[in-house]
Amino acid sequence: MPGETPTVAAITTAWRRESARIVGALTRMTRDVELAEDLAQDALVAALEQWPLTGVPINPAAWLMTTAKRRGIDHFRRADNLRRKTEELGQALVAGEEEQVPDLDAQVDHIEDDVLRLIFLTCHPSLSAESRAALTLRLVAGLTTSEIARGFLSSETAMGQRISRAKKTLSEARADFELPTGTERDARLDDVMAVIYLVFNEGYSAAAGEDWMRPELASEGIRLARMLAELMPLEPEVLGLQALLEIQGSRLAARLDDDGAPVLLEAQDRTRWDELLVRRGLAALRRAQALAVRGRPIGKYFLQASIAAQHARAPRAEDTDWRQIARLYDVLATAAPGPVVEVNRAVAHGRAFDPAAGLAVLAGLTGDELGGSPLLPSVRGDLLERAGRHADAAAAFSEAAALSRNEAERSVLRRRAEENLASVSKPG
């Protein structure tokens, strides 16, 4: 709250919430993504120094942007040959301005667009797929280098070097910050959708740390998907991505119980699902379906949204049409084959038919394809539990718990292992 003495954690949270917009706006102004991030970091340092003494400003976002701009002006003043940019950045700054930035209020829409521009920039063809993902998580999602390194099963040093090289590559390529058009935009679209999905997923199920979810990241992913759908309203896949994130995002409030423990899909109180997000998601899916009927191509996001819609339309878990979901996963496995799809297809077949059918799908996976993820053993444990093979299920859940890097997920897996061990010891 304005005027309060904030903690370091509160200041850092406020900065991370605004960092993508600040970096995006500064990149547009400076045409240098590395400089933009440095200026944003300088604003954080200034907030850590001043807010504990002065309290939180009335408009924290404007304060951070003003401070970052001032740092930019200082930088360009020191660089004598860039005085033109000094004037460009300094137009909106007047003497004594701290809490409000007149041009910031007038540029709200531009700042919103700046985040999407930043994603198109991080998906530049000069970068590798892993570098695009890492840079997006750093600049757009605001994750630390160590958090990104855990997600990629890499060392912090190696990930820091990768991110630095990616920034340097963009600078050397003289990457344009403006939104690409025509064939260039189409060429980057798949990567842009992939990184938006990546941002959402890191919020929906955090890869590491104590919290199972980071709702602010999930919300940012939904917002970016909506913006992309507004930019490209005739692309069924873009609408499919929006639908998928809206529907999955509707479950966030139901994914934790009153004690903060994770709640799996089938046990969730569906009255806690966000009805507005469900309606928005289903509406986006209907628009995508109408375009598909007219011959526009569809793909994995449309199919995943169609699967999510089956859950959203079921008033109770037992009303879910698992056979239709299994059919959709069969199509998805052909359209976008991969180990994660196969694991989810096993879940669907296990529910639609019997646990043996799900285990048969899993039989083709070794676990190496998932890079040490707990997903495969956790799903195997669930199917074994449903088959009444509790000793095997306990072993699978224990294996999954050992692989998990998320404390909340790990606690759920350990509990399920213990429950199955208890079932083994019961008479009969």
Side-chain angles (χ1 to χ4, degrees), residues 147 150 202 206-212 405-410:
E147 287 172 331
R150 285 197 298 268
E202 180 59 30
E210 296 183 0
D211 297 327
W212 197 32
R405 301 186 307 280
N406 182 281
E407 183 55 41
E409 179 184 52
R410 194 156 48 236

Side-chain angles (χ1 to χ4, degrees), residues 167-397:
K167 294 176 187 175
K168 184 177 180 181
T169 299
L170 288 179
S171 178
E172 291 174 348
R174 299 186 180 277
D176 192 350
F177 188 59
E178 296 305 315
L179 282 173
T181 58
T183 57
E184 184 182 357
R185 184 170 69 187
D186 293 342
R188 293 193 206 179
L189 183 58
D190 284 347
D191 291 326
V192 169
M193 289 192 291
V195 296
I196 290 176
Y197 193 35
L198 186 66
V199 169
F200 174 85
N201 273 337
E202 180 59 30
Y204 191 74
S205 296
E210 296 183 0
D211 297 327
W212 197 32
M213 298 184 298
R214 299 179 63 176
E216 74 282 358
L217 282 184
S219 297
E220 179 69 358
I222 293 170
R223 187 184 72 83
L224 292 168
R226 288 175 188 161
M227 289 172 57
L228 189 62
E230 290 174 4
L231 181 69
M232 309 186 76
L234 299 180
E235 290 293 337
E237 269 294 83
V238 174
L239 290 167
L241 176 64
Q242 180 193 353
L244 174 61
L245 302 197
E246 301 265 19
I247 294 171
Q248 287 189 326
S250 72
R251 307 172 194 158
L252 285 171
R255 297 188 77 230
L256 294 175
D257 65 17
D258 293 338
D259 296 323
V263 180
L264 301 180
L265 178 61
E266 291 187 359
Q268 288 172 13
D269 177 359
R270 300 191 175 205
T271 63
R272 298 184 64 188
W273 289 1
D274 188 319
E275 292 185 9
L276 177 59
L277 288 180
V278 171
R279 289 199 299 270
R280 283 176 170 172
L282 294 177
L285 183 58
R286 286 194 295 272
R287 292 196 296 274
Q289 289 168 336
L291 290 166
V293 167
R294 300 208 297 265
R296 302 286 294 185
I298 60 172
K300 61 183 179 181
Y301 298 115
F302 175 89
L303 291 168
Q304 288 179 85
S306 300
I307 292 167
Q310 292 297 323
H311 293 292
R313 292 176 180 132
R316 302 172 303 166
E318 53 267 36
D319 298 326
T320 305
D321 188 346
W322 280 107
R323 295 210 169 194
Q324 177 63 11
I325 290 174
R327 285 191 287 269
L328 286 166
Y329 267 117
D330 289 342
V331 176
L332 182 60
T334 301
V340 174
V341 172
E342 285 301 293
V343 171
N344 286 309
R345 191 166 76 90
V347 173
H349 278 255
R351 300 293 194 280
F353 306 108
D354 55 48
L359 290 167
V361 175
L362 289 187
L365 298 173
T366 65
D368 295 337
E369 307 96 329
L370 290 162
S373 165
L375 181 61
L376 177 58
S378 67
V379 169
R380 182 180 287 117
D382 180 77
L383 290 167
L384 290 167
E385 180 183 76
R386 291 173 182 276
R389 296 166 56 184
H390 296 292
D392 293 335
F397 283 128

